[in-house]
Amino acid sequence: MIEITAEVRAAIDRAAGDMELAGDEYIEPADGLIHCKKCHGSRQTVVPRFGGSVYFMPRCLCPCQQKAQEERKAMEGQRQRGMK
Ligand SMILES: [Zn+2]
């Protein structure tokens, strides 16, 4: 995560107009990025490109999504072991 300067914030705000939010997401006014309503973790990150003159705001998994994914993988692993 990079520091949110005024320049970065302007890029985030420009990109925010194109963003579609899921029902459990909101835009955090402090940084302008998408956050999770459940854990309030960040679901979007800022990646500088071309020496920091362009910024990408890719989606990322918030902590509760990461946890859910790990649990799903663990469940699948258990199921596969159980079938043998
Ligand atoms: Zn979350």
Side-chain angles (χ1 to χ4, degrees):
M1 194 67 179
I2 62 165
E3 195 192 341
I4 307 291
T5 60
E7 189 195 357
V8 176
R9 183 57 200 259
I12 292 169
D13 287 344
R14 271 199 305 277
D18 302 330
M19 285 292 172
E20 279 195 36
L21 295 181
D24 59 348
E25 294 174 347
Y26 67 99
I27 302 275
E28 168 61 52
D31 56 16
L33 295 171
I34 299 167
H35 283 246
C36 170
K37 278 184 188 171
K38 275 183 266 176
C39 69
H40 301 282
S42 179
R43 284 199 183 171
Q44 203 183 11
T45 184
V46 183
V47 182
R49 287 282 160 86
F50 308 115
S53 56
V54 175
Y55 300 94
F56 285 91
M57 273 68 75
R59 294 284 195 133
C60 63
L61 292 178
C62 67
C64 77
Q65 282 181 321
Q66 277 172 17
K67 194 163 169 282
Q69 195 179 56
E70 275 165 25
E71 280 170 6
R72 203 160 52 233
K73 274 185 195 160
M75 290 260 288
E76 277 169 18
Q78 270 177 9
R79 213 168 36 236
Q80 277 171 2
R81 276 197 297 276
M83 280 195 295
K84 276 175 193 165

